[in-house]
Amino acid sequence: MMRDGGAIKCRDYPGVCENSEKGAGLRVFAPEKEGFYRGLDQVLLLPSFRACAMRTFPDAAFYSNMEFGSARQAILQLLRAVAPADLPALLEWMRTTRDFDEFTHDNNEIVLKNIAEDLRNCLPLETMLSSEHLALQKIQSRPEPTIHVDAFLYDEDFIDSLCEEGKMSRNYCTVCGSHQTAPLGFISHSFSLMELKFIYHHVLPDLSGKVLVDVGSRLGTVLYGGYLYSSALQLYGVELNGDFCQLQEMIIKKYQFTDRVKVLHADICTQGSLLQNADVVIMNNVFEYFLDEAEQARAWEYISHNIRKQGSLLLTVPSLEESLSGLQINIQLSPWVEEVPLNYDVFPEKDIDREALEQIHLYKIL
C-alpha cells in the first residue's frame, strides 16, 4: 500500500482507499465483498486484503481500537489462513508463550486488585471469621501481640492509609497510657500479590496441562492467581470452612473462572485421589493455626502417603522442616522429597518483602 495525497491506496488492490480523515472508513472493491467499511478490523476479514492491510496500518488508531467481537473474528480468520502443517505449532505457541505477557500483565493485576476489593467488602478488617475459633485463640496466645492482616487484601500502602485514618496501628503500648510502644506482630494466611507473581512467574514451571491443588484455599488467592498467571489445566481449592468456600464461589462465578477453577468443601484427609493425581500442591500456613497438634500430625501423615507422584511439586510456607518440627510424627523427607533451590532476587523493585519470599519453599517428589 502507499499514500497518495489524502488517501491511502493499495498497489496490489487499487480498489482499496482510505479517506484521510481519521475514522472515516475504507472504501473496498473486492472479489469477496464490495462495500464501505468503518474500520480496518472489518477489512481484515477479507482474505485478499488482510496481510496487505496489516502491513500498511500496524499502528492505525481504528485498528488498535478494535472491539472484542471484531478482534475475535480477525484472529480466527487469520488462523484459518495458516498452512495446515504449521497450525498445531502456532496454536501450541499461543497457548504457552510468554510473548503475550505485556498485554495481560497490567490487566491481570487490575483483576486481582478488584477481587481483593470485593473480598474486603465482605470481611471484617482482621479477615478472620467467628467460625475460626482455634485460629483466633492461637493468634491471641502468641508471645508478642499479633494481629492477622491478609496480605492479599491489604498491601503495605493500604496498611499505611489505614494507620493514617486511625483504623489500624503497627504498634502496641507496652505500658498502658505511656509512649512506650513496640511493633505489633503481623501474620497472613494468604499470599500477597507480589508473592503470587513470584510463585507463578519464577518458582513454578509451565503448568500447561497440569493440575494444581491448593490445600486450605481460604479466600482463593492461589486459585485466582493460577487462573490469571498460568495455563494450568485445572485448579482445585480444598477448604474446610464453609464460609470461605461461599466467598470463593462468589468470586469464581463473578469473574468467570469456572472453566478451570473448582472449590471443594472438604477435609483434605478425604481427598486422597486428588492429591495422588496433582502435579502441584500448595500449602500456605495450612495447619498450624487451624488444627491441634494431633490433627496436624494426622494430616501430614495423610499428605505424605498420598503426594507420591514422581516429579510433582510441593510448595509450602513455611518449610517442611519447620512445619513438622515439634509434632509427634515419623515422616522422613528423604527419599520422599528434594528441595529445589529458589532465586529470591528476581524482582527489580526495592520494596520487595524479601523475608516473606524466603518463607516460600519448593520440593520435588522423588
Side-chain angles (χ1 to χ4, degrees), residues 215-315:
V215 179
S217 50
R218 197 172 174 82
L219 297 182
T221 56
V222 167
L223 307 178
Y224 316 141
Y227 190 95
L228 295 169
Y229 288 139
S230 84
S231 299
L233 176 67
Q234 196 70 45
L235 299 134
Y236 289 97
V238 182
E239 174 55 51
L240 189 59
N241 189 302
D243 296 328
F244 284 121
C245 288
Q246 290 181 18
L247 283 175
Q248 292 176 79
E249 293 289 357
M250 177 194 74
I251 297 297
I252 291 166
K253 290 177 182 177
K254 177 176 180 177
Y255 290 88
Q256 300 179 20
F257 294 160
T258 54
D259 58 322
R260 292 196 291 135
V261 177
K262 186 174 182 180
V263 176
L264 304 175
H265 180 199
D267 183 336
I268 192 59
C269 293
T270 66
Q271 300 300 309
S273 178
L274 184 64
L275 292 174
Q276 291 162 20
N277 291 287
D279 298 290
V280 177
V281 177
I282 295 182
M283 304 174 67
N284 179 21
N285 284 334
V286 67
F287 297 138
E288 180 184 355
Y289 286 91
F290 305 99
L291 302 176
D292 61 32
E293 291 188 0
E295 292 173 321
Q296 289 181 54
R298 177 181 69 94
W300 278 113
E301 288 278 6
Y302 187 87
I303 283 169
S304 66
H305 280 98
N306 284 282
I307 301 179
R308 292 285 177 173
K309 185 177 181 180
Q310 189 173 14
S312 61
L313 299 172
L314 175 60
L315 186 148

Side-chain angles (χ1 to χ4, degrees), residues 75-363:
I75 291 172
L76 291 173
Q77 190 66 43
L78 180 62
L79 290 173
R80 293 188 185 101
V82 175
D86 293 330
L87 185 58
L90 178 62
L91 291 174
E92 178 66 15
W93 168 77
M94 292 177 69
R95 191 166 63 88
T96 61
T97 185
R98 300 298 297 271
D99 292 347
F100 298 144
D101 284 0
E102 63 179 293
F103 304 108
T104 61
H105 170 77
D106 291 340
N107 184 62
N108 288 338
E109 187 166 323
I110 290 171
V111 171
L112 288 172
K113 288 183 176 180
N114 286 339
I115 291 173
E117 182 176 1
D118 288 342
L119 291 171
R120 282 196 297 269
N121 292 333
C122 297
L123 292 163
L125 184 62
E126 65 275 12
T127 330
M128 298 289 291
L129 300 180
S130 58
S131 54
E132 300 184 282
H133 308 294
L134 185 59
L136 289 166
Q137 291 175 11
K138 289 196 172 188
I139 289 175
Q140 292 168 2
S141 64
R142 287 173 64 92
E144 65 172 357
T146 301
I147 58 173
H148 179 265
V149 179
D150 193 279
F152 178 69
L153 303 189
Y154 302 99
D155 59 20
E156 290 296 314
D157 291 337
F158 206 112
I159 293 175
D160 286 341
S161 66
L162 291 174
C163 291
E164 291 174 2
E165 296 171 10
K167 297 179 180 179
M168 184 180 289
S169 175
R170 292 183 180 274
N171 302 292
Y172 70 97
C173 179
T174 58
V175 180
C176 184
S178 78
H179 294 285
Q180 299 180 48
T181 62
L184 276 167
F186 281 66
I187 187 171
S188 173
H189 297 309
S190 296
F191 289 119
S192 67
L193 180 57
M194 185 59 65
E195 289 167 327
L196 289 174
K197 292 179 184 177
F198 176 63
I199 289 169
Y200 285 110
H201 290 166
H202 304 288
V203 175
L204 297 177
D206 176 24
L207 298 183
S208 299
K210 305 296 185 182
V211 173
L212 181 148
V213 175
D214 182 24
V215 179
S217 50
R218 197 172 174 82
L219 297 182
T221 56
V222 167
L223 307 178
Y224 316 141
Y227 190 95
L228 295 169
Y229 288 139
S230 84
S231 299
L233 176 67
Q234 196 70 45
L235 299 134
Y236 289 97
V238 182
E239 174 55 51
L240 189 59
N241 189 302
D243 296 328
F244 284 121
C245 288
Q246 290 181 18
L247 283 175
Q248 292 176 79
E249 293 289 357
M250 177 194 74
I251 297 297
I252 291 166
K253 290 177 182 177
K254 177 176 180 177
Y255 290 88
Q256 300 179 20
F257 294 160
T258 54
D259 58 322
R260 292 196 291 135
V261 177
K262 186 174 182 180
V263 176
L264 304 175
H265 180 199
D267 183 336
I268 192 59
C269 293
T270 66
Q271 300 300 309
S273 178
L274 184 64
L275 292 174
Q276 291 162 20
N277 291 287
D279 298 290
V280 177
V281 177
I282 295 182
M283 304 174 67
N284 179 21
N285 284 334
V286 67
F287 297 138
E288 180 184 355
Y289 286 91
F290 305 99
L291 302 176
D292 61 32
E293 291 188 0
E295 292 173 321
Q296 289 181 54
R298 177 181 69 94
W300 278 113
E301 288 278 6
Y302 187 87
I303 283 169
S304 66
H305 280 98
N306 284 282
I307 301 179
R308 292 285 177 173
K309 185 177 181 180
Q310 189 173 14
S312 61
L313 299 172
L314 175 60
L315 186 148
T316 69
V317 174
S319 68
L320 285 176
E321 291 84 353
E322 183 175 342
S323 294
L324 299 177
S325 65
L327 296 179
Q328 298 298 317
I329 196 169
N330 184 27
I331 295 178
Q332 300 298 321
L333 297 185
S334 178
W336 174 39
V337 297
E338 176 183 56
E339 185 161 9
V340 179
L342 300 180
N343 177 12
Y344 299 105
D345 297 314
V346 294
F347 290 113
E349 292 91 282
K350 295 180 180 180
D351 58 348
I352 294 302
D353 188 347
R354 172 65 182 259
E355 185 177 351
L357 294 186
E358 289 178 346
Q359 288 293 304
I360 298 172
H361 295 265
L362 183 68
Y363 302 88

Side-chain angles (χ1 to χ4, degrees), residues 42-57:
Q42 297 184 44
V43 177
L44 288 175
L45 301 182
L46 301 175
S48 59
F49 297 115
R50 183 173 53 251
C52 184
M54 290 181 72
R55 288 196 302 272
T56 306
F57 308 108

Side-chain angles (χ1 to χ4, degrees), residues 54-72:
M54 290 181 72
R55 288 196 302 272
T56 306
F57 308 108
D59 57 354
F62 46 78
Y63 179 61
S64 62
N65 291 328
M66 188 186 299
E67 294 180 353
F68 171 77
S70 298
R72 179 177 176 274

